[in-house]
Structure formats: C-alpha cells, structure tokens
Amino acid sequence: MAQTIHKYDAVVVGAGGAGMRCSLQLAKAGLRVAVLSKVFPTRSHTVAAQGGIGASLGNMDEDNWHYHFYDTVKGSDWLGDQDAIEFMCREAPKVVYELEHMGMPFDRNPDGTIYQRPFGGHSAKYGEKPVPRACAAADRTGHAMLHTLYQNNVRNKTQFFVEWMALDLIRDSEGDVVGVTALEMETGEVAIFHAKCVLLATGGAGRIFAASTNAFINTGDGLGMAARAGIPLEDMEFWQFHPTGVHNAGVLLTEGCRGEGAILRNKNGERFMERYAPKLKDLAPRDFVSRCMDQEIKEGRGCGPNGDYIALDLTHLGGETIMKRLPSVHEIGKNFANVDVIKEPIPVVPTIHYQMGGVPTNIHGQVVVPKNGNPNTIINGLYAIGEASCVSVHGANRLGTNSLLDLLVFGRAAGNHLVETALGSKAHKPLPANAADYSLSRIAVLDNSTSGEYPQDVANDLRKTMQLHAGVFRTQASMDEGVKKVVAIDERAKHLSLKDKSKIFNTARVEALEVANLMEAAKATMVSAAARKESRGAHTVDDYGDTVEHPLGRNDQEWMKHTLWYTEGNRLDYKPVNLKPLTVESIPPVKRTF
Amino acid sequence: MSDKRIFEIYRYDPDKDAKPRMQTFEIELDGSERMLLDALMKLKKQDDSISFRRSCREGVCGSDAMNINGKNGLACLTNMLTLPQKVTLRPLPGLPVVRDLIVDMSQFFKQYHSIKPYIVNETPPPEKERLQSQEDREELNGLYECILCACCSTSCPSFWWNPDKFVGPAGLLAAYRFIADSRDQVKEERLENLEDPYRLFRCHTIMNCVDVCPKGLNPTKAIGKIKEMLVKRA
C-alpha cells in the first residue's frame, strides 16, 4: 500500500520548548513547517519545568554573561564545549526578553522588571556568592513558557500534527536526511513526511529509570530514531539526579525552593550542606548536592523510620512567600506526600531528572558525526535541539535553569540557521524507494505477534536495571554487570507481543514502539558509563575517588573527551572537548569546590 | 494492605465495536497505587486495550482528564482513598469519543483558538523587557495557570448544547487572561469578538466549571468580569 506523503520545507519532531521555539522562527520567516507531536503541544514535558530560565539580566544584583559562562563551564565539570556555552550565555538575555515580548507572564519586581531568583551553581564574581539569575513565573515557569510558545505558534499559523508519533528518519544513498516516517495515532496509518530538513526536538529519555521526575512520554524517541539511522549518541553516561524529588513519588520539587531559602536537613536537623559547600551551601550544583545527600544517608544521618531520605525545610519561609513564589510546591506536597510544606519539612531524595547527553550537534543545531578524520562532519538535512541534543552546553552536569535556556537559545538558533541558509529556496532531494518499509516492518512485527512479552514488563525490568546499575553512586563492577543485563533485555525487547491489534488510537502499540527507543537510550547510557574510567560531574564512580593526581576522581589527561556510542555492536568512539570559547579566554580546568 | 476495587469503564473501539459498552474489571490494589492513574495503569497491564491519555502524572500537562464517578477530573490528581470501592470511568462528556476514554478535543481547541490566545502589542518592543507593575501582573494570577484539560468546558451544559458557538469556560478564561494583561493593546477587539448571544452569553453561571477545575481556577469569575466590561462599554 502506498503511503501518504506530506511535503514540507522543515519537519520539527516534538512540540516542547525547543521544537516550538524553532518552529516559531521558521513559521515567522514564511517557511512551510510541520510540527509532529505525540501529545497536544502544551502537554509536552517542558510544561513541568518549575524554577526559571537562566539569564544574566542583572535585575536583582550585579550580573553579566561572563559570570554565567564561568558557572556553566565549572558546573559542566569541564566537559561542556566552551564555544557553545559562550553562545548560550551571551544569547540568554535576548531570548528571555523576546519571550517576555511574546506575552510570557513573568513575575515582576517593584520596578516592573522581570523577577529573578537564585539557583544552584549560579554565582556572581566567579563563584563568590549566589546571584539571582533564574527568570521565573512563580514555580510554573515551564508551563508559562510552553503555553506562550504555543500561543505564538498559533498566531503564526504553524502547522501541527497532533498525536503523531515519529518513527524513523529517512536517509538517502548519500546519507542525507530527506524526511521522516510517522504514525497517526488516531487512525493507525503510517505516513511519510518529505522534508528538506528534519529537526529532532523530542526531549530526553528519563523514563529509562525506575524513579524519575519525567513524564511518561519521555522515552527518547529522537535518540532511538538517530541511533537506528546509524548516528551516534554523545555523553549518554551523564544523567542528572535532581536533589529534591518527592520521596516515593518521583515528582519534582523545584530547586527554586532552595533559591527562595529552603534548607536541606539530615535527621539531626543539621544544615549539612554548610559542611560540604561553605560558599554556595544548599545552592551548590545538583550533582554535588545529590552526592552530599547520598553521603548523609549512607553514613546513617538520613531521616525517617528507614533513614532513607533527607528533609527539605521550607517552614521558615512563611506561608505568604510559599503561596506567592512556590504555589505548585505547596500543591505537590499535599497531593503526593500528604505534607503541608508551610508547616513541616517534606521528604526528598535525589531523583533522575535530566539527560545531559544526546544527538551530537554544533551551535547551529546541525547534527555532526565523525567522518574521514573530522569529528564534526555535518549530516545534511538533520538538526537536533533541546534535551534530545548534545551541543554540549551541560557537559557532565547541567545547572538548574540552563535547560529552559538551552531550549530557547538553540531552538531559535536552529531556526535562524535554516532561514539564513535559504532553506525555502532549496529543492527537496528525492525520497529513496520504499522509504517507509523499515517503519512498516517494525509495526508489522508487533501486529503479527502471537507470543512474546508485554512491552511494559520488559520496560519495567529495564528501568529497574538502570536504576540499580547506573544510579547516583556507580561502581565499576556494578556497571559492568549492568551492561550484560541491558544487552540481555535488548534481546527480550525484540520479541514483544500486543494483545490489542486495533488500528484506532492503539496506546499499547505506541508504548511498544517507545520501548524500542528506550532500549537505545539505555544501551547508550550503560555502555558509555561502564567505559568511562573516572568520576566527572554526574558520573561518580566509587572506584575513581579523590587523589592528588585526579582531584575528585576526574582524570583530565585521559578522559576530558566526549563519548560517542553507536548502536551497531555497541561501539564507542570519542571526540575532544572544545575548550576554546568564541571570543573570550578559556576557563582552565581546576578542582570543583563550592 | 489489600484493597479490592471494581472498575466500570466505558469501552468503545470503532474498529470492532458497533456501539459503546460498559465493562467491569476487578482489581486488587496493594497500596502503591496512590492515584487513580496508577490504578488505571495497573489495569492496563491486565488488559492492554484499555485506552486513555496520560503524560506528566502530576497535574500540569492536562492529558488524563476523564469523568470519574460522574465528575470530571484528572486521574493523576485523584487519590484512590477519596474514591469509593466502585469506580466508574467515562470519557469527558459532550465531545466525540475516539476510543474508550479518549475524546476528540478539536472543538474545544477551536474555541480556545477563536479568542486569539496571544498578546497583541504593535508598539516596537524595547531592548529589554516591557515593564509591568506587580499589581498588573497579579491580575493574571488565577488565569494563566490553565492546563487546557477541558474538565470545565465538558462539564458545562451550555457547552454541551452549543460546542460550536459557545466559547466555553476554558476559552473564556483564556480570553480574560489576555484582556487583563496590561501589555495587550486590543482589548476592544477582544470584547467585540465576544459580544454575541452565544460566544459569551450562553454562560448561565451554573458554575460546574469552578467545581471541577483541577487547578482551582474560577472561569465563572473571569466570565463575570468580561460581562461587566461589556456592560460598561455599552
């Protein structure tokens, strides 16, 4: 059966913050752009971001992009590319002002400027003291931002394909990307989107872990698509544990709590972060705070009957501040922990939150891979932006508020790059014959399945394995074992079975297709992690501790490099970190203390 | 802790069912299913054909709105302890059913789009932010937080009767969100757009919308303010 072919200049896969910031730029320039999304745009996971957007507006205290640049490089534990970091931090004020002009309901200061709050790892004067840099709309910044972007896309008549799940990239004989296949969930039909350019803006794969702050839709679909198309994934061993996920629920409590003055306490009521980070205290970067919390729990100072959580104390902030600045936190406490945060501390544990790695790109969002000795050869027709991408601004550890900023800066930059390179006047490259065959065969396997495992059983085993073998504290032996287990689960994932064979809005089929993407993200994570023989940022391995030669276990001589994982044979490659910023002096690596 | 529940779920798959039916399930909860969504996902393990939308599981994305024992709500914010032993789930009322608990929300979004849900300000923006006083910003509280779950509009009899003509509580809440924004310059046009026996004035302050909003918002109050402005204008 011939597939329907939709023809567009650009197809954006994913309607979160990055996808919609990009599509807005393209639609405004008059390009024909389609946005595919598994969910209605305002249901994308950007909606759940709470705390703020990092930008050195200096509305509350002296600040400039140089400080932001320094904090981000240091936060990344020197794995971030300094050209990309400079670009992001310089662009930050502009993208925030633009968002305000689009109608974003930021909180305000008495002088009418945008309200900013302190956030982890953000400092003035190169680490001297915390600085308020997070531009916030209460604790609903992501919601306000995503709705604002959707509204402006409506205004500019962006064409949305809602509840369409992208399946596979279409590459021609030269390796150029010329389109994408997608499943219309309501009808079960597969169509081809023929495009001059495909942009992956599919977010992260946080659902490869059992305890995650992420939405169910965060299954790394773009990563799976890229991996299956032979494109490597970069730095997938680096996963951020957010210090304050609600114990036993996984739901996030924003770092904005601590930005507004909340304190982490152990079972003795001690503000233990003072011991670990004398300057930034509770506002040290997330990898650092998460490890300190784990340390407290390990040494028997955790709270509760099982001593397995830390208390986040907001009680001294007062009801008025909490209801004004952190109303959702109050709501979440009630709904998911039976705790009134105005009156009592809330139990929290470090919880998987963000994927620092992704599809490798340059600062225009173009996907780059090693070829003929050049580690950054452009793949024509393919871009990646947002959490799905690795540009790399977050390196081994992302600073809070830099994710929303990343979406805005690189979503916009990718859009601008396409406009500047005159995408509109280029011709479509022809589609290869049988462009949808691969996707159709993947679906046929599921539809014809008579025996096999239920997809969620396989996915749940994968999640448990990842949680156990790629958690906050890693050991070499455990990671090596994890690799074997994940490879075994990968075999099981090839034999999934659906009972539901309906064409109409078959969510079981969608979930089974998601498992294929989760598998790619999980293999990339586990294999890359086991191979990295050092501790850096969020990748902390017991075997590689603090020594004179390798402060905090970081081994710059051998491991200051980006990992590249290929699905074929679980092969690894590496490429250098770019330590050279665009215009300023490089920040040389030192031991990270706060 | 053993907790046996009866779930009665509206089932309809146009691929194989001539007409909708109610199907009864028994499910044993073990206490780890805090919210209705957790229980539903457990049920989906028993029967993978049960179809519903879900995403954030924390009440901000608005995907899993459904009719729960006769009242619209979000499955992810409905604590199982608040529900009786028998739980009846139906799709949101008044919209065409795609399958099971999944409704076609086109009409709902069409109404949302009809109010021009974006700031219009033709003055070239300054280099920095447009200034807004704290008081002006506070006007937007209780308006901008809407998650477009459609619990309100699909609990409104006026919307059931005239989904093509009445904007509905969610759309009108959004309309007032932009009217109330000090940065918007087309208030008159916005009011004009609503001055109509159906678009705005089909609201008879039944207040089902307020009753069901999972975010605690008050569309009726916003509608009242628009009506007041129209009266003053006349």
Side-chain angles (χ1 to χ4, degrees):
Chain A
M1 189 183 73
Q3 264 36 67
T4 306
I5 299 176
H6 300 275
K7 210 167 171 180
Y8 284 89
D9 289 331
V11 173
V12 180
V13 184
M20 288 208 285
R21 186 63 193 82
C22 178
S23 62
L24 181 59
Q25 218 63 6
L26 297 171
K28 273 183 166 174
L31 292 169
R32 276 177 50 75
V33 52
V35 180
L36 312 185
S37 178
K38 283 200 289 192
V39 294
F40 184 79
T42 62
R43 320 223 186 279
S44 307
H45 192 54
T46 303
V47 79
Q50 299 174 10
I53 311 168
S56 58
L57 309 186
N59 284 353
M60 325 295 289
D61 205 348
E62 190 202 330
D63 198 10
N64 64 60
W65 73 262
H66 297 274
Y67 298 163
H68 190 183
F69 170 69
Y70 169 85
D71 291 337
T72 303
V73 172
K74 183 178 175 186
S76 83
D77 213 351
W78 279 273
L79 192 72
D81 288 324
Q82 297 193 15
D83 58 337
I85 296 174
E86 178 182 336
F87 180 71
M88 180 177 80
C89 296
R90 288 179 68 156
E91 292 278 299
K94 182 168 39 181
V95 297
V96 168
Y97 292 140
E98 276 178 354
L99 202 57
E100 193 284 323
H101 299 156
M102 288 180 213
M104 168 98 170
F106 283 111
D107 285 1
R108 300 289 172 154
N109 295 310
D111 65 357
T113 56
I114 294 170
Y115 170 75
Q116 300 183 278
R117 59 163 64 107
F119 240 75
H122 289 281
S123 72
K125 301 185 178 158
Y126 311 104
E128 206 169 85
K129 56 167 191 178
V131 70
R133 190 178 285 149
C135 308
D139 54 358
R140 308 185 179 99
T141 312
H143 170 279
M145 172 171 139
L146 191 68
H147 281 252
T148 302
L149 289 173
Y150 176 67
Q151 291 156 359
N152 280 269
N153 272 281
V154 168
R155 184 179 193 181
N156 287 281
K157 303 192 167 48
T158 301
Q159 174 93 45
F160 286 100
F161 287 79
V162 174
E163 292 173 332
W164 283 68
M165 182 188 185
L167 297 174
D168 292 289
L169 294 172
I170 302 169
R171 298 182 77 176
D172 68 9
S173 57
E174 292 172 305
D176 294 354
V177 173
V178 294
V180 65
T181 54
L183 171 74
E184 184 181 32
M185 286 154 70
E186 188 175 334
T187 62
E189 297 300 330
V190 171
I192 291 172
F193 287 78
H194 187 192
K196 300 169 188 173
C197 177
V198 174
L199 298 105
L200 298 175
T202 48
R207 280 281 155 184
I208 62 171
F209 289 90
S212 167
T213 65
N214 281 207
F216 290 119
I217 55 170
N218 290 17
T219 52
D221 297 344
L223 306 181
M225 291 166 68
R228 284 191 297 275
I231 292 157
L233 304 181
E234 180 176 348
D235 292 343
M236 286 295 290
E237 62 270 46
F238 298 99
W239 280 88
Q240 176 159 83
F241 285 78
H242 194 293
T244 57
V246 176
H247 182 235
N248 281 337
V251 177
L252 171 77
L253 294 175
T254 174
E255 193 169 295
C257 296
R258 282 170 288 139
E260 296 290 343
I263 287 168
L264 292 165
R265 298 189 191 277
N266 60 21
K267 75 169 183 190
N268 304 321
E270 184 203 2
R271 182 183 193 179
F272 58 87
M273 280 310 300
E274 285 180 328
R275 265 190 281 123
Y276 297 95
K279 277 193 207 153
L280 298 187
K281 299 179 182 144
D282 298 83
L283 287 174
R286 290 176 180 173
D287 60 331
F288 195 87
V289 176
S290 288
R291 272 197 298 281
C292 298
M293 290 169 70
D294 228 53
Q295 191 76 22
E296 290 296 302
I297 291 170
K298 262 187 177 171
E299 290 174 4
R301 291 188 294 278
C303 307
N306 304 318
D308 59 352
Y309 63 81
I310 294 294
L312 179 67
D313 186 358
L314 292 88
T315 54
H316 54 285
L317 303 184
E320 200 182 322
T321 300
I322 290 174
M323 295 315 287
K324 182 171 179 195
R325 300 292 186 202
L326 303 163
S328 301
V329 166
H330 184 256
E331 215 176 294
I332 289 168
K334 251 186 353 197
N335 285 331
F336 292 95
N338 301 329
V339 165
D340 180 351
V341 297
I342 297 172
K343 295 185 183 136
E344 52 180 330
I346 183 166
V348 293
V349 285
T351 307
I352 273 291
H353 182 56
Y354 185 86
Q355 162 197 305
M356 267 76 74
V359 180
T361 72
N362 62 20
I363 63 171
H364 307 299
Q366 294 173 290
V367 175
V368 291
V369 299
K371 197 178 172 186
N372 303 332
N374 175 5
N376 295 309
T377 306
I378 289 160
I379 292 192
N380 291 322
L382 186 63
Y383 286 63
I385 45 180
E387 191 170 341
S389 72
C390 182
V391 50
S392 143
V393 282
H394 310 305
N397 173 63
R398 174 174 72 76
L399 293 188
T401 75
N402 272 355
S403 58
L404 292 186
L405 178 61
D406 171 2
L407 309 183
L408 294 172
V409 168
F410 293 101
R412 181 181 184 277
N416 282 347
H417 192 256
L418 286 170
V419 173
E420 283 156 19
T421 52
L423 185 77
S425 57
K426 282 182 187 154
H428 281 82
K429 285 188 84 179
L431 284 169
N434 311 320
D437 279 10
Y438 178 55
S439 300
L440 292 171
S441 71
R442 293 206 298 128
I443 287 180
V445 168
L446 292 171
D447 283 350
N448 300 329
S449 62
T450 49
S451 66
E453 288 187 81
Y454 180 61
Q456 286 307 331
D457 287 338
V458 176
N460 284 337
D461 282 352
L462 178 69
R463 293 180 182 118
K464 273 184 225 154
T465 304
M466 295 304 291
Q467 195 76 25
L468 191 63
H469 296 282
V472 184
F473 269 106
R474 300 171 174 183
T475 71
Q476 191 60 53
S478 170
M479 290 189 295
D480 292 338
E481 196 191 335
V483 171
K484 286 184 199 144
K485 284 192 187 173
V486 169
V487 169
I489 295 172
D490 193 31
E491 280 308 306
R492 290 167 57 197
K494 288 171 188 157
H495 309 283
L496 301 179
S497 171
L498 295 182
K499 281 189 250 120
D500 183 1
K501 304 282 166 66
S502 170
K503 297 275 275 179
I504 309 299
F505 221 114
N506 187 332
T507 50
R509 181 195 280 142
V510 167
E511 287 179 14
L513 291 165
E514 287 173 340
V515 170
N517 298 325
L518 288 170
M519 275 317 314
E520 299 300 335
K523 282 187 290 178
T525 299
M526 208 62 251
V527 172
S528 304
R532 183 173 282 272
K533 307 281 192 293
E534 66 159 352
S535 293
R536 184 185 295 270
H539 178 69
T540 301
V541 187
D542 266 4
D543 308 54
Y544 314 115
D546 193 18
T547 63
V548 180
E549 212 186 347
H550 304 306
L552 301 174
R554 196 179 77 206
N555 180 347
D556 287 335
Q557 293 75 35
E558 288 174 75
W559 287 101
M560 190 190 273
K561 57 186 178 185
H562 295 296
T563 307
L564 294 171
W565 168 89
Y566 293 81
T567 188
E568 199 180 2
N570 277 314
R571 180 167 67 87
L572 292 175
D573 193 0
Y574 293 90
K575 70 174 182 180
V577 173
N578 188 351
L579 293 173
K580 203 173 168 300
L582 299 170
T583 64
V584 292
E585 291 282 305
S586 179
I587 311 276
V590 293
K591 181 173 177 172
R592 275 166 96 222
T593 56
F594 300 96
Chain B
M1 189 181 81
S2 163
D3 178 6
K4 192 180 273 180
R5 301 287 184 115
I6 309 289
F7 272 67
E8 209 182 38
I9 301 182
Y10 179 100
R11 303 301 308 272
Y12 176 58
D13 176 358
D15 218 11
K16 47 178 205 261
D17 299 331
K19 58 177 196 215
R21 65 203 151 90
M22 295 302 285
Q23 188 178 358
T24 306
F25 298 89
E26 262 186 39
I27 180 172
E28 190 83 29
L29 303 181
D30 63 15
S32 65
E33 305 85 0
R34 182 184 183 86
M35 299 296 185
L36 172 60
L37 179 61
D38 302 322
L40 256 179
M41 290 182 60
K42 188 167 190 178
L43 208 54
K44 193 171 169 64
K45 276 188 78 167
Q46 287 176 24
D47 180 344
D48 70 356
S49 69
I50 300 171
S51 305
F52 52 92
R53 295 185 175 104
R54 86 284 179 271
S55 181
C56 77
R57 59 84 174 89
E58 59 186 58
V60 291
C61 80
S63 296
D64 62 351
M66 54 188 72
N67 187 271
I68 305 157
N69 285 345
K71 189 176 168 184
N72 291 351
L74 298 182
C76 64
L77 290 186
T78 302
N79 196 308
M80 285 308 293
L81 298 174
T82 66
L83 293 175
Q85 202 239 343
K86 186 177 165 193
V87 180
T88 303
L89 301 178
R90 295 172 184 274
L92 291 175
L95 294 176
V97 174
V98 176
R99 180 177 175 180
D100 296 350
L101 302 174
I102 298 172
V103 290
D104 178 353
M105 297 181 73
S106 312
Q107 195 63 254
F108 172 79
F109 289 121
K110 204 172 160 189
Q111 291 297 357
Y112 174 69
H113 294 158
S114 80
I115 61 98
K116 297 195 174 154
Y118 41 80
I119 290 276
V120 177
N121 185 328
E122 301 301 347
T123 311
E127 220 164 274
K128 294 187 170 183
E129 66 267 59
R130 287 197 167 101
L131 299 180
Q132 185 174 44
S133 73
Q134 289 180 323
E135 295 70 35
D136 284 344
R137 169 59 184 81
E138 263 167 40
E139 291 295 317
L140 308 182
N141 287 344
L143 304 173
Y144 81 94
E145 301 93 326
C146 171
I147 58 174
L148 299 176
C149 65
C151 280
C152 60
S153 292
T154 60
S155 70
C156 173
S158 298
F159 190 75
W160 297 337
W161 294 323
N162 298 106
D164 54 334
K165 295 182 195 151
F166 175 50
V167 172
L172 290 169
L173 184 81
Y176 186 64
R177 178 252 173 273
F178 291 99
I179 291 171
D181 197 314
S182 61
R183 298 168 295 176
D184 189 76
Q185 292 178 331
V186 291
K187 284 180 187 33
E188 275 304 308
E189 271 170 54
R190 293 186 187 280
L191 291 173
E192 197 75 43
N193 178 334
L194 296 172
E195 175 111 64
D196 175 279
Y198 283 97
R199 285 179 64 70
L200 174 74
F201 288 101
R202 279 287 127 171
C203 170
H204 300 308
T205 54
I206 299 165
M207 293 184 73
N208 282 357
C209 54
V210 183
D211 198 33
V212 298
C213 177
K215 304 309 283 183
L217 307 179
N218 190 333
T220 307
K221 193 172 151 197
I223 293 167
K225 289 197 172 171
I226 303 175
K227 285 181 179 169
E228 227 172 84
M229 291 175 98
L230 280 172
V231 170
K232 273 191 199 150
R233 187 168 158 266

